[in-house]
Amino acid sequence: MRRLTKLFATSVLLSALVPLAPSAAASTTECTTVQVTAPAGAKVESVDAVAKPGGTVTFPQTPLSAPPPIHDVPAYCEVTVTLTHSGSDHVKVVVALPGTGWTGRLQGVGGSAYAAGDFGAPLVQAVKDGYAAVSTDAGVLDGLNTGWAVKNGAVDQTLLTNFASRSVHESAVVAKSVVRKHYQRSVTYSYWNGCSTGGRQGYAEAQRHPDDFDGILANAPAVNWARFAVATLWPQTVQYQDGHIVSNCVLTAFRTAAIEACDANDGVRNNIIDRPDRCGYDPRRLVGTKVLCDGQEVTVTQADADVMRKIWDGPADERGRNLWPGLPKGADLSGSPARCRVPPVPGSRWRRCGCRASCSSSPATTPRSSPTSSSATCSGSRCASTTP
């Protein structure tokens, strides 16, 4: 019951994450390192403190886009605690402490994709809103690089455990300790704020460490990771198996046609298919239609429609049993075409080698081998060969 209360008390959580009035006890505090006791099973490698001026804070360009600047941020102290478990992992826990205006509350910031946390805009926004804030990188690389999962042909169990759940729990323990020593008072309430990977982390916290946070906002949780991670490769896999790449303009035409056919099913026309699972649009209806692609007129083919149907249907095993939902009708598929013979997308190495049991899959769900591709075969928790 305690776990359910934390996950589903939505109204309380939403109100908890808006800016709050500063606590009367909050005051300017010198930015210095503090002594940190290592969580059980970990060792503290280093503790560093850097004074941040606040004001207008800008952020570097990411592979997707640069977050917009955040204005009127109070000066804050950024304490970085580096932990290790095996001696080969180096986990950073960053705690941001407002110099003024602290409300007595702590906000944990989740990650996205294969990144365990975010030391950028979400952390700074929490500071602006009056929170002490914490995030961790779990000792892994950025969100588009999964090379950390495999070391010397075997799954790196230390980093996998960090990424799965351990590092978020440890970040909560470390942050509360740092806050208590920095402000000379304990955290009043602590909250988790995460989406996608951060949502999954929130659910894991509620299940494994329900005392870490008083409230958990876990949006769009990326759960059932073993199936979900493989399913993200499905559009590229379909095109590779069929030997047919569908151009972005034709994919967009299928999307537009599906929206036109099913948008009004919910009684409102807003270019959104409210229930994609109830949309009966058949992509074969577009076969023979002419579409303008980069100034050239092309005709939608049966092969195009077959690929589109399979992408929407989702992956299945050799008996036709559905393994995971396909991309919903109405979703933007313009990033799906693969321009080389093997899907060059984040997570492909995870799919090949980030496994604990068998990596063998049926021909219906795994791209066939190619002389231009690097292959991997797994047995138990080992990979015979890997590529970045």
Side-chain angles (χ1 to χ4, degrees), residues 107-343:
Q107 183 178 145
V109 173
S112 60
Y114 291 91
D118 193 329
F119 300 149
L123 204 70
V124 173
Q125 184 63 52
V127 168
K128 178 181 177 179
D129 293 341
Y131 293 88
V134 62
S135 196
T136 178
D137 67 0
V140 305
L141 303 177
D142 64 79
L144 299 181
N145 188 332
T146 60
W148 57 264
V150 177
K151 183 178 181 180
N152 298 325
V155 173
D156 191 320
Q157 295 291 347
T158 299
L159 291 180
L160 183 60
T161 301
N162 291 349
F163 179 76
S165 61
R166 178 166 59 193
S167 287
V168 169
H169 166 62
E170 292 181 342
S171 72
V173 173
V174 167
K176 291 176 182 179
S177 174
V178 170
V179 166
R180 184 169 57 254
K181 293 179 180 179
H182 181 79
Y183 290 116
Q184 299 301 305
R185 55 168 289 197
S186 298
V187 169
T188 305
Y189 294 103
S190 58
Y191 301 99
W192 177 259
N193 186 10
C195 177
S196 188
T197 288
R200 177 191 63 78
Q201 291 167 322
Y203 272 74
E205 275 291 285
Q207 291 175 328
R208 295 170 178 265
H209 307 286
D211 293 326
D212 281 354
F213 297 99
D214 297 293
I216 293 173
L217 184 59
N219 286 323
V223 295
N224 296 316
W225 196 269
R227 286 183 292 162
F228 165 73
V230 176
T232 60
L233 307 177
W234 184 238
Q236 289 84 356
T237 299
V238 169
Q239 293 172 90
Y240 177 68
Q241 287 182 330
D242 281 22
H244 182 75
I245 305 299
V246 183
S247 64
N248 279 336
C249 54
V250 173
L251 288 171
T252 299
F254 281 122
R255 174 178 182 253
T256 301
I259 292 174
E260 178 63 28
C262 300
D263 180 15
N265 289 355
D266 61 353
V268 179
R269 281 201 169 273
N270 54 4
N271 290 321
I272 296 174
I273 301 177
D274 187 61
R275 288 293 303 270
D277 56 324
R278 295 183 180 178
C279 177
Y281 175 75
D282 188 334
R284 290 175 294 186
R285 291 165 56 182
L286 208 63
V287 173
T289 302
K290 296 187 181 301
V291 177
L292 195 63
C293 289
D294 298 325
Q296 295 185 344
E297 194 176 70
V298 300
T299 302
V300 178
T301 67
Q302 182 65 47
D304 293 333
D306 288 342
V307 167
M308 189 71 263
R309 176 181 56 79
K310 292 175 184 177
I311 290 175
W312 280 342
D313 285 348
D317 65 14
E318 67 278 4
R319 298 181 181 178
R321 294 174 296 192
N322 184 259
L323 299 174
W324 193 263
L327 272 69
K329 294 176 181 177
D332 183 4
L333 305 176
S334 58
S336 294
R339 297 303 179 189
C340 59
R341 297 304 297 168
V342 174

Side-chain angles (χ1 to χ4, degrees), residues 36-53:
V36 176
T37 301
K43 295 180 180 179
V44 175
E45 290 189 310
S46 64
V47 180
D48 300 294
V50 177
K52 299 288 186 176

Side-chain angles (χ1 to χ4, degrees), residues 342 352-353 368-370 372-377 383-387:
V342 174
R352 290 196 299 268
C353 296
R368 60 185 182 274
S369 59
S370 164
T372 62
S373 70
S374 296
S375 63
T377 57
C383 288
S385 63
T386 62
T387 57

